[in-house]
Amino acid sequence: IAMARESQPELMKQEAPLDELLEPLHENTMIVQFNVTEFGTDIIVIENQDSTISYSGAFTEEVNRDELSRLIEKWLNRQQKLSIDASNHARSEWGNYVQRKMKELSQYLVSPITGLIEKEHIHNLVLVPHMSLHLLPLNTMTLEMTGTDQLLLERFNVTTIPSLTIGLTLSSQPFNPGLRYVGVSNPTGDLYWS
């Protein structure tokens, strides 16, 4: 985002109607946007059906600002402990914790929209988290299908974008091979917080 702001400041000032921004949305792609409020989370699902943009969604009271703050506080505390104790046992406990919390979060953020996203023609899922949901690996939430749980990333090509406007505006821009992305992995366990 910072690179886009610096290299294309006019891009950040553009405004367009949502339907116009969604025109390039492929028919096999679905966008799921989460809006966390003090009362709960609005889950907005956007899809291109037969060249018509459709909106649907759900609301869950279980994930509100306070609950999300508590979850993130516990998440970061456990993650910090892992940076101090990087033993195999601590890593295993962390993996179990992440799996348990993502499954729990799935009950509130994915289950209400399962009927909308489990359509056969949907191959790409774009997640738009809100607030500190950005800190969580939402692509590891589970989708309950025919009695078994399947990770979202096992069922879909999952992309996470910081905001719907930025994601859609950037996707409509011509590809610039001059811009590169660098990701850092932590194979040795000595790069804390990476």
Side-chain angles (χ1 to χ4, degrees), residues 88-107:
N88 287 340
H89 177 70
R91 288 176 186 269
S92 176
E93 280 186 6
W94 172 251
N96 291 336
Y97 176 78
V98 169
Q99 189 175 21
R100 190 173 63 251
K101 287 300 170 185
M102 289 298 96
K103 186 174 174 85
E104 186 180 305
L105 205 55
S106 301
Q107 293 173 352

Side-chain angles (χ1 to χ4, degrees), residues 71-83:
L71 169 66
I72 295 300
E73 184 178 343
K74 289 177 186 175
W75 183 276
L76 293 176
N77 284 337
R78 289 196 68 145
Q79 196 173 44
Q80 185 176 22
K81 288 177 186 173
L82 179 66
S83 69

